[in-house]
């Protein structure tokens, strides 16, 4: 089973700053099966990025995803007040079939 | 508009059983695989189970295998999770989520419900 490790656990930044979130896999992951989600308190997760780098419908272009193999990155170019939240990476694996999530990175206001 | 509405969450004693439901609308339900994902209070996301569009394939996390059963009724646009032998560690908000890709491909979740809370406690 592939394990996803997200770092850092918490990122303290100010609005307008750049956020760089890491997701490292214990084995190589197909880019097609790597996604990122945003979750705010009391809300369901929202899809941000799929296929490692494709933005979901309605997601602002300040959000971007990159990476391949075992190292993936979510970048928020300039933090807006509404971007302070918890972010999760997720992968689908076929051997055995199943889904795993990273432990999450909390982006908090500094 | 895609909507997923979960129900069935209650307080149940350890060892008890519970059936969660998810009513889907706004898309062609029987074109897509569906998932259950849970989140313990203050914790991260944990995938629980997935079912193919036709119900012919089901997969489970090791933590629930043999205790939980996922099913669907495409005639009712509904997804279910039968939960048996419940443990304290099953306490969580349970979300149903739609897979983004149709057919037998499984990738990521493009829509989520708001969740239903299951509490396992004596």
């Amino acid at each position: 089973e592939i394990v996803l490790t997200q770092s850092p656990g918490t990122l303290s930044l100010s609005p307008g700053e750049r956020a760089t979130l890491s997701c490292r896999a214990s084995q190589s992951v197909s880019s097609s099966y790597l996604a990122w989600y945003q979750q705010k308190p009391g809300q369901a997760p929202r899809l941000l990025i799929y296929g490692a780098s494709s933005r979901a419908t309605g997601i602002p272009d300040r959000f971007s995803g990159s990476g391949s193999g075992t190292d993936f990155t979510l970048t928020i170019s300039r933090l807006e007040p509404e971007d302070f939240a918890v972010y999760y990476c997720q992968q689908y694996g076929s051997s055995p079939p199943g889904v795993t999530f990273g432990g999450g990175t909390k982006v908090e206001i500094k | 508009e895609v909507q997923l509405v979960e129900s069935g969450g209650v307080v149940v004693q350890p060892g008890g059983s519970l059936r969660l439901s998810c009513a889907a609308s706004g898309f062609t339900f029987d074109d897509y695989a569906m998932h259950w994902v849970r989140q313990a209070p203050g914790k991260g996301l944990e995938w629980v189970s997935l079912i193919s569009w036709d119900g012919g394939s089901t997969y489970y996390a090791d933590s629930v295998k043999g205790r939980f059963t996922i099913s669907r009724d495409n005639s009712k646009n509904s997804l279910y999770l039968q939960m048996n032998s419940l443990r304290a560690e099953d306490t969580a908000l349970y979300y149903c989520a739609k897979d983004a890709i149709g057919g037998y491909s499984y990738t990521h979740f493009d829509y989520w419900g708001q969740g239903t809370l299951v509490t396992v406690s004596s």
Side-chain angles (χ1 to χ4, degrees):
Chain A
E1 177 187 315
I2 295 178
V3 175
L4 299 179
T5 301
Q6 290 189 241
S7 61
T10 302
L11 200 50
S12 298
L13 295 168
S14 300
E17 290 193 292
R18 181 184 189 90
T20 303
L21 288 65
S22 172
C23 176
R24 181 161 291 176
S26 59
Q27 304 171 43
S28 185
V29 171
S30 168
S31 296
S32 299
Y33 298 130
L34 194 288
W36 291 92
Y37 301 85
Q38 176 194 67
Q39 187 178 34
K40 297 178 181 179
Q43 296 185 16
R46 176 175 72 145
L47 176 67
L48 295 177
I49 300 288
Y50 64 93
S53 60
S54 298
R55 270 188 301 278
T57 303
I59 301 303
D61 60 7
R62 63 180 181 273
F63 291 91
S64 63
S66 62
S68 64
T70 60
D71 289 297
F72 297 88
T73 300
L74 175 70
T75 301
I76 311 171
S77 59
R78 288 179 57 86
L79 282 164
E80 297 287 341
E82 62 267 27
D83 299 337
F84 292 92
V86 180
Y87 294 83
Y88 295 95
C89 58
Q90 170 254 316
Q91 71 89 30
Y92 172 78
S94 56
S95 300
V99 173
T100 53
F101 288 94
T105 291
K106 182 180 182 180
V107 179
E108 64 176 23
I109 299 177
K110 186 174 181 181
Chain B
E1 177 194 5
V2 172
Q3 284 199 318
L4 299 170
V5 180
E6 303 93 337
S7 61
V10 291
V11 178
V12 60
Q13 291 190 336
S17 297
L18 199 56
R19 189 197 199 203
L20 304 183
S21 300
C22 172
S25 61
F27 65 101
T28 305
F29 183 69
D30 57 9
D31 275 353
Y32 296 92
M34 296 293 294
H35 302 254
W36 288 99
V37 177
R38 68 185 181 183
Q39 188 168 35
K43 302 297 184 182
L45 301 170
E46 179 188 16
W47 173 77
V48 173
S49 182
L50 91 83
I51 186 167
S52 61
W53 66 274
D54 61 354
S57 297
T58 58
Y59 305 104
Y60 300 91
D62 287 344
S63 58
V64 307
K65 203 173 293 182
R67 299 187 299 123
F68 289 11
T69 302
I70 191 171
S71 62
R72 64 191 295 162
D73 185 338
N74 287 344
S75 69
K76 296 182 178 179
N77 287 354
S78 292
L79 174 71
Y80 305 102
L81 185 67
Q82 178 66 42
M83 310 165 67
N84 297 332
S85 303
L86 283 161
R87 306 167 180 167
E89 54 265 36
D90 295 319
T91 294
L93 187 63
Y94 284 74
Y95 294 103
C96 71
K98 170 185 169 293
D99 203 283
I101 308 297
Y104 284 107
S105 296
Y106 318 119
T107 55
H108 56 277
F109 317 120
D110 55 356
Y111 291 95
W112 299 65
Q114 286 303 305
T116 187
L117 182 62
V118 173
T119 303
V120 183
S121 174
S122 55

